């Protein structure tokens, strides 16, 4: 079942890949996971090790990475696994990377918002992306660390400082919102979740998460009260997991799945696969927010084309309008932090 992960959004015409992993003569990618010993990092690394798209897997953290790497290295797949621990070993970890995924940071606890993580995670992301800008400036950078609405602007500003900024290669991984929307819609309609595709636009926190149920494939309809309830559940699904784990962390396994799905889509696109589409939080001119998640056509050099918001209902238009002030404030907070970060 692990090979079913990579799948672009069928809603935007890229359903042919479904969840299979494409094979190609170019399957020699080096992928680094920064924060590989953590709750997301370990299962994410396992899923990446399982993929024929990855030939080198570099695992970095400030503790326990040699053990995680040794454990994964025994799995009978081709990816060569190496563990790196501590800042001195980070340059070697990043050298020659095609894709870097960053789940590093602290998770939410009950009662916390994603923004409450800002003070700790902002510094971690700024430090790690600064190393990426120095040692693998051409790599695709995939940020999982929350709050994504601020950590992506931080990443962009860090890359600008180093003179290597390319907005087509910096992604905030919002894929878990899409995965949840697909799952919840499928549950309500008695469908196979693997055949459902709901674009989710906006940001990656609370009301900035905007599921476009009107663009779902296959087409689905809900009474307005059920639509409001479904939308609210998708927006607060992370909190659902935080509360269920009762202080033991946040969404780690489903986030690892979603992170792997996004990385596999990127790698397929890098390998020349056409029609690979995923939503992600990126630099954008689609709305008045300078960063916004929409379906993206991925290519060999990252974002090939931003497919935009498309036709949406008045209910969805109102959600976009309601998200703007929070989104712009989160973006500004990230940018200001990066400007003052030494």
């Amino acid at each position: 079942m692990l090979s079913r992960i990579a799948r672009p959004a069928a809603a935007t015409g890229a359903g042919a890949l479904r969840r299979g992993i494409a094979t190609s003569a170019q399957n020699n990618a080096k992928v680094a996971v920064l924060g590989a010993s953590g709750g997301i990092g370990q299962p994410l690394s396992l899923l990446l090790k399982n993929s024929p798209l990855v030939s080198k897997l570099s695992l970095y953290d400030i503790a326990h990475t040699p053990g995680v790497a040794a454990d994964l290295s025994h799995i009978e797949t081709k990816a060569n696994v190496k563990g790196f621990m501590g800042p001195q070993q980070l340059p070697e970890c990043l050298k020659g990377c095609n894709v870097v995924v960053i789940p590093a940071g602290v998770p939410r606890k009950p009662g916390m918002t994603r923004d409450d993580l800002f003070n700790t995670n902002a510094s971690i992301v700024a430090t790690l992306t600064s190393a990426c800008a120095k040692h693998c400036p051409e790599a695709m950078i995939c940020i999982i660390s929350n709050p994504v609405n601020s950590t992506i602007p931080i990443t962009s500003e860090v890359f600008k400082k180093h003179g290597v900024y390319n907005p087509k290669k910096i992604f905030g991984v919002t894929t878990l919102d899409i995965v949840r929307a697909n799952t919840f819609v499928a549950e309500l309609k008695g469908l196979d979740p693997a055949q459902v595709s709901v674009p989710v636009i906006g940001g990656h926190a609370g009301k900035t998460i905007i599921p476009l149920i009107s663009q779902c494939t296959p087409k689905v309809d809900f009474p307005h009260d059920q639509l409001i309830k479904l939308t609210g559940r998708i927006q607060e699904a992370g909190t659902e997991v935080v509360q269920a784990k009762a202080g033991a962390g946040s969404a780690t396994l489903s986030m690892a799945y979603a992170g792997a799905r996004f990385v596999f889509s990127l790698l397929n696109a890098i390998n020349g696969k056409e029609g690979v589409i995923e939503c992600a939080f990126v630099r954008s001119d689609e709305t008045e927010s300078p960063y916004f998640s929409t379906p993206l056509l991925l290519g060999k050099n990252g974002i090939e084309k931003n497919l935009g918001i498309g036709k949406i209902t008045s209910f969805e238009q109102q959600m976009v309008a309601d998200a703007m002030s929070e989104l712009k404030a989160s973006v500004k907070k990230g940018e200001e932090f990066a400007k003052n970060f030494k």
Side-chain angles (χ1 to χ4, degrees):
M1 294 297 282
L2 292 174
S3 63
R4 292 177 63 225
I5 286 178
R7 164 192 159 206
T12 41
L17 181 61
R18 303 321 302 167
R19 291 198 174 180
I21 293 174
T23 54
S24 156
Q26 300 169 47
N27 289 351
N28 56 2
K30 180 177 177 181
V31 178
V33 179
L34 310 186
S37 301
I40 297 167
Q42 289 202 40
L44 173 59
S45 300
L46 172 62
L47 293 169
L48 295 173
K49 169 69 172 128
N50 191 61
S51 171
L53 292 169
V54 180
S55 61
K56 291 181 182 172
L57 186 58
S58 281
L59 308 181
Y60 173 82
D61 216 316
I62 53 170
H64 310 304
T65 352
V68 175
D71 196 355
L72 286 176
S73 72
H74 294 179
I75 292 171
E76 54 184 354
T77 54
K78 73 168 188 178
N80 179 267
V81 185
K82 283 189 179 168
F84 300 87
M85 193 166 75
Q88 300 80 8
Q89 295 186 6
L90 186 52
E92 186 59 28
C93 169
L94 294 172
K95 210 165 98 184
C97 278
N98 304 99
V99 177
V100 179
V101 201
I102 306 183
V106 295
R108 280 200 290 163
K109 292 192 166 65
M112 290 175 80
T113 65
R114 288 182 179 90
D115 197 52
D116 291 334
L117 305 173
F118 184 90
N119 291 338
T120 304
N121 289 359
S123 299
I124 292 170
V125 169
T127 301
L128 293 175
T129 54
S130 185
C132 293
K134 286 178 197 162
H135 303 291
C136 56
E138 293 296 310
M140 309 282 179
I141 309 296
C142 307
I143 307 289
I144 291 171
S145 313
N146 275 313
V148 165
N149 293 358
S150 298
T151 54
I152 284 299
I154 288 170
T155 302
S156 296
E157 294 304 316
V158 165
F159 270 68
K160 283 177 194 173
K161 273 187 182 177
H162 287 87
V164 291
Y165 177 55
N166 182 348
K168 294 181 176 181
K169 293 187 171 187
I170 295 173
F171 303 90
V173 181
T174 62
T175 316
L176 183 51
D177 299 324
I178 291 92
V179 167
R180 286 165 167 160
N182 294 346
T183 302
F184 300 164
V185 167
E187 282 173 359
L188 290 170
K189 292 294 183 185
L191 299 166
D192 174 1
Q195 304 304 318
V196 176
S197 185
V198 180
V200 181
I201 64 169
H204 184 59
K207 70 179 182 184
T208 70
I209 298 167
I210 305 163
L212 301 182
I213 306 296
S214 70
Q215 292 183 16
C216 177
T217 305
K219 187 160 174 50
V220 293
D221 285 305
F222 294 99
H224 191 66
D225 59 337
Q226 194 177 20
L227 180 62
I228 290 171
K229 195 175 172 186
L230 170 62
T231 300
R233 188 181 177 206
I234 294 164
Q235 290 175 330
E236 295 303 326
T239 304
E240 192 178 303
V241 177
V242 169
Q243 289 172 345
K245 289 196 173 181
S250 55
T252 52
L253 302 172
S254 53
M255 184 61 247
Y257 169 91
R261 169 181 149 169
F262 186 78
V263 171
F264 296 153
S265 288
L266 258 187
L267 292 175
N268 276 316
I270 290 168
N271 285 344
K273 182 83 182 173
E274 292 185 357
V276 180
I277 296 167
E278 290 282 1
C279 295
F281 189 67
V282 297
R283 183 77 184 81
S284 171
D285 298 320
E286 294 299 316
T287 68
E288 61 191 78
S289 172
Y291 293 84
F292 199 82
S293 180
T294 42
L296 308 168
L297 177 65
L298 301 175
K300 290 188 175 188
N301 299 306
I303 301 169
E304 200 154 290
K305 188 181 180 187
N306 190 322
L307 300 174
I309 294 172
K311 188 183 171 192
I312 59 175
T313 65
S314 57
F315 174 69
E316 291 161 348
Q317 283 170 346
Q318 189 58 51
M319 283 197 287
V320 173
D322 291 345
M324 276 304 133
S325 61
E326 183 180 327
L327 261 181
K328 289 193 289 186
S330 296
V331 167
K332 190 177 178 191
K333 188 173 180 178
E335 288 176 338
E336 305 263 310
F337 175 87
K339 279 168 188 160
N340 299 318
F341 184 78
K342 296 287 181 274

mmCIF file with all atom_site columns, all heavy atoms in Angstrom, residues 285-298:
data_model
loop_
_atom_site.group_PDB
_atom_site.id
_atom_site.type_symbol
_atom_site.label_atom_id
_atom_site.label_alt_id
_atom_site.label_comp_id
_atom_site.label_asym_id
_atom_site.label_entity_id
_atom_site.label_seq_id
_atom_site.pdbx_PDB_ins_code
_atom_site.Cartn_x
_atom_site.Cartn_y
_atom_site.Cartn_z
_atom_site.occupancy
_atom_site.B_iso_or_equiv
_atom_site.pdbx_formal_charge
_atom_site.auth_seq_id
_atom_site.auth_comp_id
_atom_site.auth_asym_id
_atom_site.auth_atom_id
_atom_site.pdbx_PDB_model_num
ATOM 1   N N   . ASP A 1 285 ? 0.643  35.787 -6.764  1.00 0.00 ? 285 ASP A N   1
ATOM 2   C CA  . ASP A 1 285 ? -0.033 37.031 -7.135  1.00 0.00 ? 285 ASP A CA  1
ATOM 3   C C   . ASP A 1 285 ? -1.532 36.805 -7.313  1.00 0.00 ? 285 ASP A C   1
ATOM 4   O O   . ASP A 1 285 ? -2.233 37.638 -7.876  1.00 0.00 ? 285 ASP A O   1
ATOM 5   C CB  . ASP A 1 285 ? 0.548  37.578 -8.449  1.00 0.00 ? 285 ASP A CB  1
ATOM 6   C CG  . ASP A 1 285 ? 2.026  37.926 -8.326  1.00 0.00 ? 285 ASP A CG  1
ATOM 7   O OD1 . ASP A 1 285 ? 2.414  38.467 -7.272  1.00 0.00 ? 285 ASP A OD1 1
ATOM 8   O OD2 . ASP A 1 285 ? 2.785  37.626 -9.267  1.00 0.00 ? 285 ASP A OD2 1
ATOM 9   N N   . GLU A 1 286 ? -2.018 35.660 -6.823  1.00 0.00 ? 286 GLU A N   1
ATOM 10  C CA  . GLU A 1 286 ? -3.426 35.295 -7.039  1.00 0.00 ? 286 GLU A CA  1
ATOM 11  C C   . GLU A 1 286 ? -4.394 36.128 -6.199  1.00 0.00 ? 286 GLU A C   1
ATOM 12  O O   . GLU A 1 286 ? -5.550 36.315 -6.573  1.00 0.00 ? 286 GLU A O   1
ATOM 13  C CB  . GLU A 1 286 ? -3.639 33.807 -6.725  1.00 0.00 ? 286 GLU A CB  1
ATOM 14  C CG  . GLU A 1 286 ? -2.922 32.851 -7.669  1.00 0.00 ? 286 GLU A CG  1
ATOM 15  C CD  . GLU A 1 286 ? -3.384 32.989 -9.117  1.00 0.00 ? 286 GLU A CD  1
ATOM 16  O OE1 . GLU A 1 286 ? -4.603 33.083 -9.340  1.00 0.00 ? 286 GLU A OE1 1
ATOM 17  O OE2 . GLU A 1 286 ? -2.519 33.029 -10.009 1.00 0.00 ? 286 GLU A OE2 1
ATOM 18  N N   . THR A 1 287 ? -3.941 36.592 -5.030  1.00 0.00 ? 287 THR A N   1
ATOM 19  C CA  . THR A 1 287 ? -4.796 37.366 -4.129  1.00 0.00 ? 287 THR A CA  1
ATOM 20  C C   . THR A 1 287 ? -3.986 38.529 -3.573  1.00 0.00 ? 287 THR A C   1
ATOM 21  O O   . THR A 1 287 ? -2.820 38.709 -3.944  1.00 0.00 ? 287 THR A O   1
ATOM 22  C CB  . THR A 1 287 ? -5.282 36.508 -2.931  1.00 0.00 ? 287 THR A CB  1
ATOM 23  O OG1 . THR A 1 287 ? -4.155 36.206 -2.091  1.00 0.00 ? 287 THR A OG1 1
ATOM 24  C CG2 . THR A 1 287 ? -5.948 35.215 -3.375  1.00 0.00 ? 287 THR A CG2 1
ATOM 25  N N   . GLU A 1 288 ? -4.572 39.285 -2.651  1.00 0.00 ? 288 GLU A N   1
ATOM 26  C CA  . GLU A 1 288 ? -3.817 40.385 -2.042  1.00 0.00 ? 288 GLU A CA  1
ATOM 27  C C   . GLU A 1 288 ? -2.795 39.895 -1.020  1.00 0.00 ? 288 GLU A C   1
ATOM 28  O O   . GLU A 1 288 ? -1.945 40.659 -0.568  1.00 0.00 ? 288 GLU A O   1
ATOM 29  C CB  . GLU A 1 288 ? -4.771 41.409 -1.411  1.00 0.00 ? 288 GLU A CB  1
ATOM 30  C CG  . GLU A 1 288 ? -5.643 40.844 -0.317  1.00 0.00 ? 288 GLU A CG  1
ATOM 31  C CD  . GLU A 1 288 ? -6.766 41.795 0.101   1.00 0.00 ? 288 GLU A CD  1
ATOM 32  O OE1 . GLU A 1 288 ? -7.766 41.895 -0.621  1.00 0.00 ? 288 GLU A OE1 1
ATOM 33  O OE2 . GLU A 1 288 ? -6.620 42.424 1.162   1.00 0.00 ? 288 GLU A OE2 1
ATOM 34  N N   . SER A 1 289 ? -2.848 38.619 -0.654  1.00 0.00 ? 289 SER A N   1
ATOM 35  C CA  . SER A 1 289 ? -1.808 38.044 0.209   1.00 0.00 ? 289 SER A CA  1
ATOM 36  C C   . SER A 1 289 ? -0.612 37.653 -0.662  1.00 0.00 ? 289 SER A C   1
ATOM 37  O O   . SER A 1 289 ? -0.790 36.974 -1.678  1.00 0.00 ? 289 SER A O   1
ATOM 38  C CB  . SER A 1 289 ? -2.333 36.807 0.940   1.00 0.00 ? 289 SER A CB  1
ATOM 39  O OG  . SER A 1 289 ? -1.264 36.163 1.610   1.00 0.00 ? 289 SER A OG  1
ATOM 40  N N   . PRO A 1 290 ? 0.605  38.061 -0.279  1.00 0.00 ? 290 PRO A N   1
ATOM 41  C CA  . PRO A 1 290 ? 1.777  37.741 -1.118  1.00 0.00 ? 290 PRO A CA  1
ATOM 42  C C   . PRO A 1 290 ? 2.134  36.258 -1.162  1.00 0.00 ? 290 PRO A C   1
ATOM 43  O O   . PRO A 1 290 ? 2.925  35.832 -1.996  1.00 0.00 ? 290 PRO A O   1
ATOM 44  C CB  . PRO A 1 290 ? 2.902  38.567 -0.488  1.00 0.00 ? 290 PRO A CB  1
ATOM 45  C CG  . PRO A 1 290 ? 2.438  38.932 0.873   1.00 0.00 ? 290 PRO A CG  1
ATOM 46  C CD  . PRO A 1 290 ? 0.946  38.911 0.872   1.00 0.00 ? 290 PRO A CD  1
ATOM 47  N N   . TYR A 1 291 ? 1.562  35.487 -0.263  1.00 0.00 ? 291 TYR A N   1
ATOM 48  C CA  . TYR A 1 291 ? 1.728  34.032 -0.287  1.00 0.00 ? 291 TYR A CA  1
ATOM 49  C C   . TYR A 1 291 ? 0.334  33.420 -0.200  1.00 0.00 ? 291 TYR A C   1
ATOM 50  O O   . TYR A 1 291 ? -0.509 33.881 0.577   1.00 0.00 ? 291 TYR A O   1
ATOM 51  C CB  . TYR A 1 291 ? 2.582  33.539 0.885   1.00 0.00 ? 291 TYR A CB  1
ATOM 52  C CG  . TYR A 1 291 ? 4.022  33.988 0.796   1.00 0.00 ? 291 TYR A CG  1
ATOM 53  C CD1 . TYR A 1 291 ? 4.402  35.250 1.255   1.00 0.00 ? 291 TYR A CD1 1
ATOM 54  C CD2 . TYR A 1 291 ? 5.005  33.165 0.245   1.00 0.00 ? 291 TYR A CD2 1
ATOM 55  C CE1 . TYR A 1 291 ? 5.713  35.683 1.162   1.00 0.00 ? 291 TYR A CE1 1
ATOM 56  C CE2 . TYR A 1 291 ? 6.318  33.586 0.155   1.00 0.00 ? 291 TYR A CE2 1
ATOM 57  C CZ  . TYR A 1 291 ? 6.668  34.848 0.606   1.00 0.00 ? 291 TYR A CZ  1
ATOM 58  O OH  . TYR A 1 291 ? 7.972  35.268 0.503   1.00 0.00 ? 291 TYR A OH  1
ATOM 59  N N   . PHE A 1 292 ? 0.109  32.372 -0.982  1.00 0.00 ? 292 PHE A N   1
ATOM 60  C CA  . PHE A 1 292 ? -1.227 31.773 -1.031  1.00 0.00 ? 292 PHE A CA  1
ATOM 61  C C   . PHE A 1 292 ? -1.094 30.393 -1.660  1.00 0.00 ? 292 PHE A C   1
ATOM 62  O O   . PHE A 1 292 ? -0.299 30.189 -2.575  1.00 0.00 ? 292 PHE A O   1
ATOM 63  C CB  . PHE A 1 292 ? -2.151 32.654 -1.891  1.00 0.00 ? 292 PHE A CB  1
ATOM 64  C CG  . PHE A 1 292 ? -3.623 32.422 -1.663  1.00 0.00 ? 292 PHE A CG  1
ATOM 65  C CD1 . PHE A 1 292 ? -4.292 33.021 -0.597  1.00 0.00 ? 292 PHE A CD1 1
ATOM 66  C CD2 . PHE A 1 292 ? -4.353 31.617 -2.535  1.00 0.00 ? 292 PHE A CD2 1
ATOM 67  C CE1 . PHE A 1 292 ? -5.655 32.817 -0.400  1.00 0.00 ? 292 PHE A CE1 1
ATOM 68  C CE2 . PHE A 1 292 ? -5.716 31.412 -2.351  1.00 0.00 ? 292 PHE A CE2 1
ATOM 69  C CZ  . PHE A 1 292 ? -6.369 32.017 -1.272  1.00 0.00 ? 292 PHE A CZ  1
ATOM 70  N N   . SER A 1 293 ? -1.853 29.447 -1.158  1.00 0.00 ? 293 SER A N   1
ATOM 71  C CA  . SER A 1 293 ? -1.827 28.083 -1.704  1.00 0.00 ? 293 SER A CA  1
ATOM 72  C C   . SER A 1 293 ? -2.907 27.924 -2.769  1.00 0.00 ? 293 SER A C   1
ATOM 73  O O   . SER A 1 293 ? -4.059 28.298 -2.551  1.00 0.00 ? 293 SER A O   1
ATOM 74  C CB  . SER A 1 293 ? -2.054 27.062 -0.583  1.00 0.00 ? 293 SER A CB  1
ATOM 75  O OG  . SER A 1 293 ? -2.023 25.749 -1.119  1.00 0.00 ? 293 SER A OG  1
ATOM 76  N N   . THR A 1 294 ? -2.518 27.407 -3.914  1.00 0.00 ? 294 THR A N   1
ATOM 77  C CA  . THR A 1 294 ? -3.434 27.068 -5.001  1.00 0.00 ? 294 THR A CA  1
ATOM 78  C C   . THR A 1 294 ? -2.879 25.833 -5.702  1.00 0.00 ? 294 THR A C   1
ATOM 79  O O   . THR A 1 294 ? -1.729 25.452 -5.468  1.00 0.00 ? 294 THR A O   1
ATOM 80  C CB  . THR A 1 294 ? -3.523 28.213 -6.044  1.00 0.00 ? 294 THR A CB  1
ATOM 81  O OG1 . THR A 1 294 ? -2.212 28.729 -6.271  1.00 0.00 ? 294 THR A OG1 1
ATOM 82  C CG2 . THR A 1 294 ? -4.449 29.329 -5.614  1.00 0.00 ? 294 THR A CG2 1
ATOM 83  N N   . PRO A 1 295 ? -3.652 25.187 -6.584  1.00 0.00 ? 295 PRO A N   1
ATOM 84  C CA  . PRO A 1 295 ? -3.084 24.071 -7.360  1.00 0.00 ? 295 PRO A CA  1
ATOM 85  C C   . PRO A 1 295 ? -1.935 24.575 -8.247  1.00 0.00 ? 295 PRO A C   1
ATOM 86  O O   . PRO A 1 295 ? -2.046 25.624 -8.889  1.00 0.00 ? 295 PRO A O   1
ATOM 87  C CB  . PRO A 1 295 ? -4.268 23.596 -8.211  1.00 0.00 ? 295 PRO A CB  1
ATOM 88  C CG  . PRO A 1 295 ? -5.485 24.029 -7.447  1.00 0.00 ? 295 PRO A CG  1
ATOM 89  C CD  . PRO A 1 295 ? -5.098 25.337 -6.821  1.00 0.00 ? 295 PRO A CD  1
ATOM 90  N N   . LEU A 1 296 ? -0.843 23.823 -8.235  1.00 0.00 ? 296 LEU A N   1
ATOM 91  C CA  . LEU A 1 296 ? 0.356  24.179 -8.996  1.00 0.00 ? 296 LEU A CA  1
ATOM 92  C C   . LEU A 1 296 ? 0.714  23.056 -9.952  1.00 0.00 ? 296 LEU A C   1
ATOM 93  O O   . LEU A 1 296 ? 0.734  21.885 -9.554  1.00 0.00 ? 296 LEU A O   1
ATOM 94  C CB  . LEU A 1 296 ? 1.541  24.402 -8.051  1.00 0.00 ? 296 LEU A CB  1
ATOM 95  C CG  . LEU A 1 296 ? 1.340  25.373 -6.874  1.00 0.00 ? 296 LEU A CG  1
ATOM 96  C CD1 . LEU A 1 296 ? 2.485  25.237 -5.888  1.00 0.00 ? 296 LEU A CD1 1
ATOM 97  C CD2 . LEU A 1 296 ? 1.187  26.801 -7.368  1.00 0.00 ? 296 LEU A CD2 1
ATOM 98  N N   . LEU A 1 297 ? 1.016  23.406 -11.191 1.00 0.00 ? 297 LEU A N   1
ATOM 99  C CA  . LEU A 1 297 ? 1.572  22.429 -12.128 1.00 0.00 ? 297 LEU A CA  1
ATOM 100 C C   . LEU A 1 297 ? 3.066  22.380 -11.861 1.00 0.00 ? 297 LEU A C   1
ATOM 101 O O   . LEU A 1 297 ? 3.758  23.401 -11.943 1.00 0.00 ? 297 LEU A O   1
ATOM 102 C CB  . LEU A 1 297 ? 1.299  22.851 -13.572 1.00 0.00 ? 297 LEU A CB  1
ATOM 103 C CG  . LEU A 1 297 ? 1.893  21.936 -14.650 1.00 0.00 ? 297 LEU A CG  1
ATOM 104 C CD1 . LEU A 1 297 ? 1.258  20.539 -14.602 1.00 0.00 ? 297 LEU A CD1 1
ATOM 105 C CD2 . LEU A 1 297 ? 1.708  22.546 -16.031 1.00 0.00 ? 297 LEU A CD2 1
ATOM 106 N N   . LEU A 1 298 ? 3.553  21.201 -11.478 1.00 0.00 ? 298 LEU A N   1
ATOM 107 C CA  . LEU A 1 298 ? 4.970  21.045 -11.137 1.00 0.00 ? 298 LEU A CA  1
ATOM 108 C C   . LEU A 1 298 ? 5.768  20.578 -12.346 1.00 0.00 ? 298 LEU A C   1
ATOM 109 O O   . LEU A 1 298 ? 5.268  19.821 -13.182 1.00 0.00 ? 298 LEU A O   1
ATOM 110 C CB  . LEU A 1 298 ? 5.120  20.036 -9.986  1.00 0.00 ? 298 LEU A CB  1
ATOM 111 C CG  . LEU A 1 298 ? 4.380  20.390 -8.685  1.00 0.00 ? 298 LEU A CG  1
ATOM 112 C CD1 . LEU A 1 298 ? 4.504  19.260 -7.681  1.00 0.00 ? 298 LEU A CD1 1
ATOM 113 C CD2 . LEU A 1 298 ? 4.872  21.700 -8.091  1.00 0.00 ? 298 LEU A CD2 1
#
